Amino acid sequence: MPTTHSDHSDDHTVRLTVNGEERRLNVAPSTPLLYVLRNDLSLNGPKFGCGLGECGACMVLVDGRAARACVLPTKAVAGLTVTTLEGLADGNHLDPVQQAFIDEQAAQCGYCLNGMIMTVRSLLNENPTPTREQLVAALDHNLCRCGTHVEILAAACRAAGLKGESP
Ligand code: FES
Ligand code: FES
């Protein structure tokens, strides 16, 4: 069910930028950003996993930094820039992190990949040359129920230019 209200009261209006587009949303103050993205804006890159901020499946970038959208009230991102998986590519050019996951075939069911990719992108935004240990630490709280961790770490290392290092 859509989470936006049908009335046009300004009480609950939140303005933010999503994937480069300015949005004006009418939502209840505590509505999680994930619900708005998926239900109202049809952006299904971020996934609903635990809904408790534990698994990382719902990860988005807020002003370039990773954030768990299932526990982030939409009001908290008013005036900020939100990027979802759909907004990472530049036209037909995938983000290098996305390409690295394809090159390493780092997926089984794929449900965790949104969180993995957004987490690596966030780290690279802060630190373009992380060590393998820093990549491991960044991904430590992203869950993969399929056990694809070796391939995911290989993709993360490739994205960070550490392709020659064993995962
Ligand atoms: S769905 Fe958000 S952290 Fe699990
Ligand atoms: S590939 Fe299935 S949860 Fe990670």
Side-chain angles (χ1 to χ4, degrees):
M1 176 182 286
T3 50
T4 50
H5 293 173
S6 56
D7 72 61
H8 294 288
S9 154
D10 279 337
D11 291 346
H12 295 155
T13 297
V14 177
R15 290 182 176 82
L16 68 162
T17 302
V18 181
N19 295 339
E21 195 174 332
E22 286 190 30
R23 297 284 192 168
R24 182 178 179 278
L25 305 166
N26 208 311
V27 299
S30 60
T31 303
L33 177 63
L34 180 64
Y35 298 179
V36 173
L37 294 173
R38 291 181 58 87
N39 298 344
D40 297 310
L41 302 182
S42 297
L43 293 168
N44 295 315
K47 299 290 186 284
F48 185 94
C50 64
L52 299 168
E54 301 287 344
C55 74
C58 62
M59 206 74 85
V60 298
L61 302 180
V62 176
D63 283 354
R65 304 282 295 271
R68 292 171 191 241
C70 70
V71 290
L72 188 62
T74 303
K75 280 270 187 185
V77 297
L80 303 181
T81 296
V82 174
T83 304
T84 69
L85 187 66
E86 291 88 343
L88 272 194
D90 181 9
N92 290 329
H93 298 285
L94 292 178
D95 184 276
V97 180
Q98 292 174 299
Q99 189 62 55
F101 273 73
I102 292 171
D103 292 343
E104 294 291 342
Q105 299 189 23
Q108 288 194 49
C109 81
Y111 205 81
C112 69
L113 289 192
N114 170 73
M116 301 294 183
I117 290 170
M118 301 308 267
T119 299
V120 174
R121 170 40 61 207
S122 174
L123 176 62
L124 292 176
N125 287 348
E126 286 182 70
N127 174 9
T129 56
T131 62
R132 177 186 179 283
E133 289 68 31
Q134 288 171 322
L135 288 162
V136 170
L139 292 168
D140 193 36
H141 296 290
N142 287 64
L143 303 184
C144 173
R145 63 187 174 186
C146 297
T148 317
H149 303 88
V150 171
E151 292 80 3
I152 288 169
L153 186 55
C157 287
R158 178 187 281 261
L162 299 174
K163 184 174 175 295
E165 292 191 17
S166 168

